[in-house]
């Protein structure tokens, strides 16, 4: 069931299994509803609201491509579907209801609030009926010179069966009257929009009356679709878009060369089995039924939308507009005092440096590797890479180091979803430069964030390391909240070296002194720390756990948290996305609170705090509390040993989020997330604004 808030917005309710666990799929959709609430928030700058609409669309694409597709794939044998179990069928039905509600609200916001307000600010996204004669003439010329030469309509007949439709591509279905040029009844044609053309086109100033004007490629094709079929009448038509299963599968036990096998699989991702169909709201029912049959899609997964079928493409408009007042205020990341005009290696010989991105700059990490590449005393660099982007100064430093004869070893994860091709390209460049590239452990994704520099000092090798919670990706480091630790502490760096030896040699790792390593020790160590707090509470002393992560779905961890709650441990969980733990249930989890913070920056850091009789154990990690992270990935959790830095993590990474009453949502015992608001005379407090103000620098004017 769904309920409505006081302002009419739909609230999602999580489905529970026996009252102990909330449904993961519905929890993911709940998360997207919270993101959508940012687009509903009138206090947020207008183009940022549009950006949130695009983020929701992108998230839903991945939900269908990966999560829903993986569930359906379990019940497909030889390309055909078997009957879904009742529980799964019920989940699919609820997921469809929730997804439809989200999509309907998205387009309602776009059409009734975002676009009209943009127009009032002089930013116009014009439909055909809204264009002036001059604009129509320009659009027609653009169609004739830039679009039409790239179009290939395919009339369906026995010689021209339904064409292959690429995953998430823009297409049109057209119904035609009469006979074709050969006297045959071919009443349906399919047209694919060229992928090489932008989806949002800016009209020149000479045909724009006020402000700036844009039109969509889909609108341009709509306006001139009849020109493609001279001598025939276009009865009806619609844009459409198909979402397909995009989870790559490679039998890593069988393949001889993972990179080559993966390159072969990348193309097939475009043509996996279909899971969702999007059409224009005006699409005739018989045409949408025809498409559903062609793609074997359940009618529950038909989405009729009032606007572009791929809202993500409106990001092009957001990027093109240069109106600072319609965006969040400018922000400059701060720099730790120890890193200002300093020799990084000299600094780390005396102290560890903690970085909190994006409030603090990612530049020290880039400088760490750049200086390692250029320093003649550095003899080797080892690094893990999961995601790093197409253009990366960090990767260029590794290539430079290899070219200069240093021993460079990169554990590069080829199976990082949707970044496979980028990582393959980096692997080839690294190898050409002379670096040793390995692809981790067969069957396990290497998700740990580690870099190790070996430097010759006074005739001996000294280790320097960076350990982080986020990817080595300079772009996302400006948008995601993550912690990174630069250290020369032998207690940590010797463990980091052991992890690299394990990843490259595939030998069993030695017993690590400080790091928790998945899939070997992390899960047991997490359970041991949780159970220790429960034991302390049973003895009458305060037990306390605060944990921050992206997702919480591992049932053994959840059961341990329930047991700790029942023992009297006070537990606060800050879980941005999917959460299967059911808080606030009497006799089970009444001492557990769950909140989700959705704001300007994407909360990505993983922090695990255990009071442990005033030892205040703090771990930072690459891993969420999910089965896949704890058992099917190489992950690392590392302690913050320096007391000053430990205090910083608690005061900056945890406490502000527990205090937040602006961007925080609380999960109730009824499975519903509700926006947290100031109570009584309590002042508004936004964790992200507080951290940007205290750690960042004033924006450049």
């Amino acid at each position: 069931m769904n309920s409505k808030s006081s302002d009419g917005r739909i609230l999602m309710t999580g489905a529970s299994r026996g009252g102990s666990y909330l449904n993961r799929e519905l929890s993911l959709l709940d998360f997207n509803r919270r993101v959508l609430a940012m687009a509903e928030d009138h206090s947020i700058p207008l183009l940022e609201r549009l950006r949130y609409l695009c983020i929701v669309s992108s998230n839903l694409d991945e939900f269908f491509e990966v999560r829903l597709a993986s569930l359906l794939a379990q019940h497909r044998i030889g390309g055909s579907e078997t009957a879904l179990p009742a529980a799964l069928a019920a989940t699919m039905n609820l997921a469809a209801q929730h997804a439809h509600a989200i999509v309907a609200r998205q387009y309602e916001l776009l059409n009734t609030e975002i676009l009209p307000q943009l127009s009032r600010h002089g930013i116009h996204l014009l439909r055909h009926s809204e264009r002036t004669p001059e604009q129509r003439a320009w659009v027609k010329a653009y169609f004739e010179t830039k679009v039409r030469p790239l179009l290939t309509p395919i009339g369906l007949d026995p010689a021209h069966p339904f064409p292959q439709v690429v995953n998430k591509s823009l297409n049109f279905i057209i119904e035609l009257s009469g006979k074709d040029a050969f006297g045959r009844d071919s009443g349906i044609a399919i047209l694919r929009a060229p992928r090489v053309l932008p989806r949002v086109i800016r009209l020149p100033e000479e045909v724009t009356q006020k402000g700036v004007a844009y039109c969509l490629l889909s609108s341009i094709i709509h306006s001139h679709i009849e020109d493609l079929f001279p001598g025939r009448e276009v009865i009806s038509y619609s844009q459409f878009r198909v979402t397909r299963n995009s989870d790559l599968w490679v039998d890593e036990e069988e393949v001889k060369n993972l990179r080559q096998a993966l390159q072969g699989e990348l193309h097939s991702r475009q043509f996996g089995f279909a899971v969702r169909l999007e059409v224009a709201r005006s699409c005739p029912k018989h045409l949408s039924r025809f498409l559903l049959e062609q793609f074997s899609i359940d009618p529950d997964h038909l989405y009729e939308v009032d606007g572009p079928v791929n809202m993500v493409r409106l990001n092009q408009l957001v990027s093109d507009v240069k109106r600072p007042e319609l965006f969040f205020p400018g922000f400059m990341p701060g720099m730790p005092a120890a890193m200002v005009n300093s020799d990084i290696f000299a600094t780390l010989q005396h102290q560890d440096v903690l970085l909190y991105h994006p409030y603090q700059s990612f530049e020290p990490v880039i400088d760490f590797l750049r200086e390692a590449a250029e320093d003649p005393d550095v003899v080797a660099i080892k690094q893990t890479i999961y995601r790093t982007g197409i253009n990366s100064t960090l990767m260029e430093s590794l290539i430079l180091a290899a070219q200069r004869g240093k021993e460079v070893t990169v554990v590069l994860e080829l199976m990082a979803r949707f970044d496979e091709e980028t990582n393959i390209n980096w692997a080839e460049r690294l190898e050409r430069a002379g670096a040793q590239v390995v692809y981790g452990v067969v069957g396990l994704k290497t998700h740990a964030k580690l870099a190790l520099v070996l430097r010759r000092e006074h005739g001996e090798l000294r280790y320097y390391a960076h350990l982080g919670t986020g990817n080595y990706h300079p772009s996302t480091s400006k948008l995601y909240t993550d912690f990174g630790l630069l250290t020369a502490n032998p207690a940590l760096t010797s463990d980091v070296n052991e992890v690299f030896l394990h990843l490259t040699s595939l030998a069993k790792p030695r017993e690590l002194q400080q790091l928790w390593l998945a899939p070997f020790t992390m899960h047991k160590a997490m359970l041991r720390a949780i159970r220790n707090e429960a034991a302390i509470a049973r003895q009458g002393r305060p037990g306390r756990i605060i944990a921050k992560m992206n997702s919480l779905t591992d049932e053994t961890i959840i059961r341990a948290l329930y047991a700790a709650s029942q023992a009297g441990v006070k537990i606060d969980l800050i879980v941005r996305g999917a959460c299967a733990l059911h808080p606030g249930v009497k006799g089970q989890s009444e001492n557990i609170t769950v909140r989700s913070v959705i704001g300007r920056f994407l909360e990505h850091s993983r922090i695990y705090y255990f009071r442990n009789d005033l030892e205040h154990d703090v771990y930072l990690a690459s891993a969420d509390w999910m089965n896949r992270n704890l058992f099917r990935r190489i992950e690392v959790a590392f302690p913050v040993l320096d007391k000053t830095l430990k205090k910083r993590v608690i005061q900056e990474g945890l406490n502000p989020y527990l205090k937040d009453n602006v961007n925080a949502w609380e999960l109730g015992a009824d499975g519903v997330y509700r926006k947290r608001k100031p109570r009584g005379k309590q002042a508004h407090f936004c964790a992200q604004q507080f951290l940007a103000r205290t750690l960042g620098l004033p924006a450049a004017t």
Side-chain angles (χ1 to χ4, degrees):
M1 293 289 292
N2 294 333
S3 59
K4 287 192 175 181
S5 65
S6 58
D7 61 1
R9 291 181 292 127
I10 295 173
L11 297 173
M12 300 300 180
T13 59
S16 63
R17 291 182 284 136
S20 294
Y21 307 103
L22 298 176
N23 181 276
R24 177 178 174 181
E25 283 67 43
L26 301 186
S27 187
L28 277 170
L29 290 170
D30 280 346
F31 161 65
N32 282 296
R33 186 62 191 81
R34 298 193 294 279
V35 178
L36 182 58
M38 298 296 285
E40 294 173 321
D41 189 342
H42 292 191
S43 69
I44 290 175
L46 188 55
L47 284 170
E48 301 290 357
R49 293 176 65 191
L50 178 56
R51 196 196 305 274
Y52 281 114
L53 285 183
C54 296
I55 291 171
V56 173
S57 286
S58 178
N59 289 348
L60 288 178
D61 283 351
E62 185 168 346
F63 175 79
F64 280 95
E65 289 178 278
V66 178
R67 188 61 202 163
L68 188 140
S70 67
L71 294 176
L72 290 175
Q74 299 171 24
H75 301 278
R76 295 176 67 90
I77 301 173
S80 61
E81 290 189 18
T82 60
L84 297 178
L88 180 56
T91 294
M92 292 291 191
N93 181 264
L94 280 171
Q97 291 180 39
H98 288 196
H100 276 286
I102 291 171
V103 170
R105 180 60 176 151
Q106 265 189 292
Y107 283 88
E108 179 185 21
L109 275 172
L110 179 70
N111 292 311
T112 65
E113 293 191 28
I114 306 297
L115 292 182
Q117 289 185 38
L118 283 174
S119 186
R120 285 195 285 273
H121 283 277
I123 302 165
H124 310 284
L125 184 63
L126 302 174
R127 300 187 182 192
H128 179 75
S129 60
E130 299 167 329
R131 295 174 198 143
T132 65
E134 294 79 13
Q135 290 167 344
R136 291 186 183 184
W138 185 89
V139 166
K140 182 173 179 59
Y142 184 90
F143 174 79
E144 292 293 342
T145 59
K146 301 289 178 63
V147 182
R148 183 169 185 163
L150 299 175
L151 297 179
T152 308
I154 297 177
L156 303 187
D157 65 16
H160 300 86
F162 200 94
Q164 283 273 37
V165 172
V166 174
N167 182 38
K168 298 188 295 186
S169 60
L170 172 64
N171 302 272
F172 293 83
I173 181 169
I174 303 118
E175 183 179 18
L176 303 165
S177 68
K179 298 183 182 296
D180 63 20
F182 303 95
R184 295 173 301 187
D185 294 316
S186 54
I188 299 290
I190 302 297
L191 175 68
R192 187 171 94 177
R195 284 194 150 185
V196 296
L197 293 177
R199 291 295 186 263
V200 180
I201 295 99
R202 183 171 181 167
L203 276 63
E205 292 183 6
E206 57 265 26
V207 298
T208 304
Q209 295 176 331
K210 292 182 180 179
V212 292
Y214 299 87
C215 60
L216 299 176
L217 177 64
S218 56
S219 175
I220 291 176
I221 295 175
H222 272 300
S223 300
H224 300 91
I225 209 160
E226 292 186 353
D227 297 347
L228 300 172
F229 303 95
R232 302 191 72 182
E233 179 187 355
V234 174
I235 300 173
S236 59
Y237 58 90
S238 173
Q239 56 179 307
F240 73 90
R241 179 174 180 258
V242 174
T243 310
R244 297 181 178 275
N245 172 32
S246 293
D247 221 7
L248 293 180
W249 184 84
V250 175
D251 188 347
E252 296 176 78
E253 298 286 355
E254 295 294 328
V255 298
K256 296 282 196 283
N257 185 311
L258 178 59
R259 191 168 78 196
Q260 290 180 2
L262 190 57
Q263 284 174 313
E265 278 293 305
L266 282 173
H267 178 72
S268 67
R269 166 181 280 165
Q270 303 294 338
F271 303 104
F273 65 85
V275 294
R276 174 181 60 166
L277 173 64
E278 296 165 281
V279 300
R281 189 177 65 178
S282 59
C283 179
K285 299 298 181 185
H286 65 282
L287 291 185
S288 58
R289 284 195 300 269
F290 174 77
L291 290 171
L292 288 172
E293 291 170 2
Q294 291 297 319
F295 298 113
S296 300
I297 296 176
D298 189 286
D300 282 348
H301 299 307
L302 169 67
Y303 290 78
E304 299 171 317
V305 302
D306 186 12
V309 292
N310 186 356
M311 200 183 291
V312 178
R313 297 291 192 159
L314 293 180
N315 264 324
Q316 294 176 15
L317 185 150
V318 176
S319 299
D320 188 74
V321 175
K322 310 303 179 189
R323 298 281 294 276
E325 72 276 15
L326 301 181
F327 292 94
F328 286 127
F331 171 75
M332 292 287 289
M335 183 72 72
M339 291 284 97
V340 178
N341 300 321
S342 71
D343 179 319
I344 287 181
F345 298 117
T347 298
L348 296 181
Q349 289 166 14
H350 297 96
Q351 67 180 95
D352 289 353
V353 175
L354 183 72
L355 301 167
Y356 192 6
H357 316 300
Y359 311 112
Q360 291 178 308
S361 176
F362 192 70
E363 283 301 313
V365 182
I366 296 173
D367 291 343
F368 174 64
L369 288 159
R370 182 187 295 120
E371 290 190 24
E374 296 174 351
D375 188 336
D377 292 326
V378 169
V379 296
I381 304 173
K382 302 180 183 182
Q383 184 157 1
T384 62
I385 293 293
Y386 191 74
R387 300 186 196 279
T388 191
I390 296 173
N391 300 306
S392 172
T393 54
L394 183 148
M395 296 298 282
E396 298 293 347
S397 291
L398 294 176
I399 290 170
L400 175 63
Q403 290 171 337
R404 293 190 171 188
K406 301 181 191 299
E407 295 294 328
V408 176
T409 303
V410 180
V411 182
L412 194 149
E413 180 50 65
L414 291 184
M415 298 290 285
R417 185 179 292 128
F418 303 126
D419 276 321
E420 298 93 346
E421 187 171 2
T422 298
N423 287 0
I424 286 171
N425 292 337
W426 280 120
E428 292 173 346
R429 286 195 61 192
L430 285 162
E431 287 181 341
R432 287 198 302 269
Q436 178 70 50
V437 180
V438 295
Y439 306 129
V441 182
V442 169
L444 301 173
K445 288 186 178 182
T446 301
H447 194 247
K449 323 298 183 184
L450 302 171
L452 184 68
V453 171
L454 284 70
R455 191 169 187 263
R456 187 178 288 113
E457 298 175 5
H458 309 296
E460 297 181 354
L461 288 180
R462 181 159 187 173
Y463 296 163
Y464 297 84
H466 174 267
L467 304 94
T469 68
N471 293 305
Y472 290 106
H473 197 308
S475 295
T476 58
S477 69
K478 298 175 183 177
L479 303 171
Y480 295 7
T481 70
D482 275 303
F483 276 100
L485 182 70
L486 288 164
T487 181
N489 186 332
L492 293 172
T493 58
S494 59
D495 273 5
V496 172
N497 189 51
E498 287 299 325
V499 172
F500 276 108
L501 291 174
H502 161 62
L503 292 175
T504 56
S505 70
L506 305 182
K508 184 177 180 180
R510 291 183 186 176
E511 184 175 350
L512 303 178
Q513 301 304 306
Q514 298 292 340
L515 304 188
W516 295 347
L517 178 65
F520 299 100
T521 60
M522 186 180 291
H523 189 251
K524 292 178 182 177
M526 293 284 189
L527 290 175
R528 187 164 55 245
I530 295 169
R531 289 166 180 164
N532 179 59
E533 293 300 314
I536 289 171
R538 291 190 192 99
Q539 294 167 19
R541 301 191 302 281
R544 185 80 169 101
I545 298 171
I546 310 174
K548 183 174 183 289
M549 67 204 79
N550 296 334
S551 300
L552 168 56
T553 59
D554 182 75
E555 293 187 6
T556 54
I557 294 284
I558 292 172
R559 287 196 295 269
L561 291 169
Y562 287 159
S565 170
Q566 292 159 20
V569 179
K570 179 172 169 42
I571 303 170
D572 286 307
L573 303 174
I574 306 161
V575 186
R576 187 193 82 226
C579 179
L581 182 143
H582 199 160
V585 177
K586 189 174 181 180
Q588 173 178 281
S589 56
E590 63 262 52
N591 288 320
I592 304 177
T593 68
V594 174
R595 72 194 64 207
S596 170
V597 175
I598 309 294
R600 172 178 181 173
F601 304 118
L602 183 140
E603 294 296 334
H604 192 257
S605 56
R606 289 87 164 189
I607 310 169
Y608 306 122
Y609 166 79
F610 307 95
R611 186 175 184 272
N612 191 18
D613 276 340
L614 297 179
E615 288 294 321
H616 301 297
D617 297 334
V618 173
Y619 281 81
L620 301 174
S622 59
D624 294 311
W625 283 351
M626 302 176 72
N627 183 277
R628 73 177 188 189
N629 297 88
L630 299 170
F631 297 106
R632 301 196 305 277
R633 288 186 173 185
I634 303 294
E635 303 272 17
V636 163
F638 55 96
V640 180
L641 300 176
D642 182 278
K643 290 184 178 180
T644 301
L645 300 186
K646 184 185 298 188
K647 187 176 180 181
R648 265 195 62 198
V649 173
I650 296 168
Q651 292 182 341
E652 296 171 7
L654 295 175
N655 289 346
Y657 295 95
L658 299 180
K659 188 179 176 182
D660 193 302
N661 55 24
V662 173
N663 288 333
W665 296 71
E666 290 186 340
L667 177 58
D670 57 359
V672 176
Y673 284 88
R674 294 178 176 84
K675 194 77 177 283
R676 196 167 181 230
K677 298 179 180 179
R679 297 171 184 171
K681 296 182 179 179
Q682 192 178 51
H684 286 75
F685 182 83
C686 173
Q688 292 188 354
Q689 289 179 3
F690 167 77
L691 292 166
R693 187 170 61 250
T694 56
L695 297 178
L697 300 172
T701 57

